[in-house]
């Protein structure tokens, strides 16, 4: 049974407990209440006997009325009144015997007390007032069996009566048992005192009701119950008790059913709210009523709900921030669950592979490749991404997650490798650019200091001039590197003034002729179409350097014709440098302006350079609050677009005609 209860639900256990308690209460009710009729019956019998005694008293009252009526004539006779005043008891008895009857007794009253031993409840007192005094006399009849028989008949023989005088029965009804003695009843004789005694008559347990009438003489009335009276009283009480037990049992059952119903309902409501809390509805609150265990439990659940809501809110904020961080990373992040299904694919992965989240399925070669790379560790692999030149080389990091699944992080190494190669090329180019003037300076310096060589003054001056020119060249190279270093660290300051665009273009072309004398003819053939009085807000010397870099690049990498045009739209002046060369593929556009970036990484085309020209140009243009970009496609040449704020026409000036030597750029 206990094992079944342990396996049963809470409601079933509560119902079983209620039924068990109900059975115990009903048994207690029956045991307690079924003993009650015996105790209550005696009270009922006493009440019935009291009522029967009242009937006996009514019989006595009738007897007294009859006595008074019989004595009415003699009481008014003068002889009777004189005898009373004189206290002549013999004459009074003679008159009463002759006029009323011999069964009537007479007794004079001395003082306020009735003396004698024969006066009973059937009496009548006369008072006679004379000139010289007062006299009182009592007329009475002794109680006999016939009076008690009439009283018993009046109550349908539901009781039998007896009268006791001074410890002896003086009268009995016919049904009053002779086996009962005066000793069976209590001995109290105080008037008005009633007592109930238990007596046994012929095997029946009956009740004897005794009541003292007078103390002098000591009259007592006795009323004895009958078996029928006892049974009727007991049956009535038992019926009432059974009705009470049935009503109590019904009320108890109803109360327990209501208790089970409301308890189950409360627990069910509580469970529903707790289930909502478990499902993530942290706004659920339970009603707290009173201060019992349920109220305390509801309060604890509410506090738990509030704490969970705060913690979940903080976790969601952290997860949201973490998700935003993952989305902004350039590295690709791919998460697989323990079943081998893709659960996360960030924006970095989309940009690296060109595969959007909506199309990210294992049917794609990239994801199929990644799914096969599940072993934890770090390695360099090539993703089968559709791009010119082959796949995408990445560093792949695979990390196992607790509970199954893996996280894959990969980043593009193509540009890193390219940058490393570019830096190596830059170092080689820088060494080459510096080696030529250094070799020349050292050679002519050794010649000048050689004592074995006799040089004419003209030769010495020529050698010194060559050494000075190459020293200036080295200084220009060093200045160019220093300028690019400043640009990379955002430390270049520009002086914004109004500058005429045509003057800037002219100075830039002159600078290109000086730096590339072998291409002087090509520089002269550059077509320039600049609107009259077009002016920009810029650092003039910096802008000259930028245009010079764009023209040099067009000469190096492009083809004629080279054109320079400008146009003004609103508050912006746009300068375009265009060539008709082989063009630039679109995937290079975003990296052209990065430091050390070259399309021809290995310089197989025979064009030197450190890869800093366009980077320097972008930094300078941005410092002047402008923008620079490229428009190109393979086979259609390239156009570099420079946008700068326009200056008022009347503010245009060519006063600042410096050559911008301190900002010379290395292409």
């Amino acid at each position: 049974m206990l094992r079944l209860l342990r396996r049963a639900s809470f409601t079933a256990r509560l119902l079983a407990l209620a039924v068990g308690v109900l059975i115990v209460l009903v048994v207690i009710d029956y045991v307690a209440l079924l003993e009650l009729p015996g105790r209550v019956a005696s009270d009922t019998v006493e009440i019935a006997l009291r009522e029967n005694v009242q009937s006996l008293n009514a019989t006595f009252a009738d007897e007294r009325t009859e006595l008074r009526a019989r004595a009415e004539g003699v009481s008014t006779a003068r002889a009777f009144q004189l005898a009373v005043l004189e206290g002549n008891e013999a004459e009074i008895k003679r008159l009463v015997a002759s006029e009323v009857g011999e069964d009537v007794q007479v007794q004079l009253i001395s003082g306020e007390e009735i003396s004698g031993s024969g006066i009973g409840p059937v009496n009548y007192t006369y008072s006679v007032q004379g000139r010289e005094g007062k006299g009182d006399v009592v007329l009475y009849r002794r109680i006999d069996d016939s009076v008690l028989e009439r009283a018993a008949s009046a109550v349908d023989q539901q009781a039998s009566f007896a009268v006791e005088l001074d410890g002896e029965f003086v009268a009995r009804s016919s049904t009053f048992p002779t086996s009962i003695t005066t000793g069976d009843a209590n001995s109290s004789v105080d008037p008005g005192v009633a007592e109930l005694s238990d007596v046994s008559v012929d095997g029946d347990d009956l009740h004897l009701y005794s009541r003292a009438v007078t103390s002098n003489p000591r009259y007592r009335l006795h009323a004895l119950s009958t078996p029928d009276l006892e049974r009727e009283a007991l049956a009535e009480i038992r019926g009432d008790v059974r009705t009470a037990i049935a009503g109590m049992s019904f009320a108890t059952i109803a109360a327990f059913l209501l208790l089970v119903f409301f308890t189950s309902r409360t627990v069910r409501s509580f469970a529903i709210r707790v289930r909502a809390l478990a499902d993530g509805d942290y706004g659920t609150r339970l009603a707290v009523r009173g201060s019992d265990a349920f109220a305390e439990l509801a309060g604890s659940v509410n506090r738990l709900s509030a704490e969970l809501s705060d913690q979940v809110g903080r976790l969601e904020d952290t997860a949201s921030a973490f998700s935003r961080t993952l989305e902004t990373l350039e590295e690709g992040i791919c998460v697989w669950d323990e079943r081998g299904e893709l659960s996360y694919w960030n924006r970095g992965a989309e940009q690296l592979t060109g595969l959007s989240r909506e199309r990210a399925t294992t049917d794609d070669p990239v994801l199929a490749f990644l799914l096969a790379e599940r072993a934890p560790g770090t390695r360099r692999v090539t993703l089968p991404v559709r791009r010119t030149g082959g796949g995408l080389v990445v560093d792949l990091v695979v990390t196992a997650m607790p509970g199954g699944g893996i996280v894959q992080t990969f980043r593009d190494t193509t540009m890193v490798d390219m940058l490393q190669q570019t830096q190596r090329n830059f170092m080689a180019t820088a060494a080459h650019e510096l080696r030529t003037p250094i070799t020349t300076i050292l050679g002519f310096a050794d010649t000048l200091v050689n004592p074995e060589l006799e040089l004419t003054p003209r030769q010495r001056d020529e050698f010194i001039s060559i050494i000075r020119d190459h020293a200036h060249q080295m200084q220009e190279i060093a200045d160019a590197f220093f300028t690019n270093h400043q640009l990379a660290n955002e430390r270049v300051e520009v002086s914004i003034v109004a500058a005429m665009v045509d003057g800037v273009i002219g100075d830039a072309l002159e600078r290109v002729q000086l730096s590339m004398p072998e291409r002087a003819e090509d520089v002269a053939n550059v077509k320039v179409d600049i609107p009259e009085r077009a002016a920009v807000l810029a650092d003039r010397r910096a802008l000259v350097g930028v245009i010079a870099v764009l023209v040099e690049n067009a000469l190096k990498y492009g083809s004629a014709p080279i054109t320079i045009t400008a146009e003004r739209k609103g508050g912006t002046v746009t300068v375009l440098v265009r060539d008709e060369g082989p063009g630039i593929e679109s995937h290079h556009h975003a990296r052209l302006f990065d430091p050390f970036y070259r399309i021809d990484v290995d310089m197989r085309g025979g064009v030197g350079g450190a890869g800093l020209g366009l980077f320097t140009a972008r930094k300078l243009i941005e410092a002047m609050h402008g923008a620079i970009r490229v428009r190109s496609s393979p086979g259609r040449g390239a156009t570099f677009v420079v946008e700068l704020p326009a200056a008022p026409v009347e503010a245009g000036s060519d006063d600042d005609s410096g050559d911008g030597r301190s900002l010379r750029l290395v292409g």
Side-chain angles (χ1 to χ4, degrees), residues 110-124:
S110 60
E112 295 181 357
E113 295 292 333
I114 300 177
S115 61
S117 61
I119 299 175
V122 181
N123 62 72
Y124 184 72

Side-chain angles (χ1 to χ4, degrees), residues 46-67:
E46 181 179 2
I47 294 173
L49 293 177
R50 283 178 182 270
E51 293 176 353
N52 293 339
V53 168
Q54 290 177 1
S55 177
L56 178 60
N57 289 332
T59 303
F60 289 158
D62 292 342
E63 291 290 329
R64 286 193 295 272
T65 301
E66 181 186 357
L67 175 62

Side-chain angles (χ1 to χ4, degrees), residues 5 8 19 21 25 55 86 174 180 195 240 252 303 307 310 327 344 354 396-397 525 527 593 618 623:
L5 285 177
V19 171
V21 173
L25 289 178
S55 177
E86 293 174 356
S174 61
I180 296 178
E195 297 173 347
D240 294 340
T252 305
R303 289 192 298 273
E307 292 176 2
D310 293 340
E327 287 296 313
Y344 185 71
L396 178 66
V397 180
N525 292 328
K527 297 180 181 179
F593 300 95
R618 177 174 65 85

Side-chain angles (χ1 to χ4, degrees), residues 301-312:
V301 172
N302 288 342
R303 289 192 298 273
L304 176 62
S305 178
E307 292 176 2
L308 285 176
S309 179
D310 293 340
Q311 293 180 5
V312 170

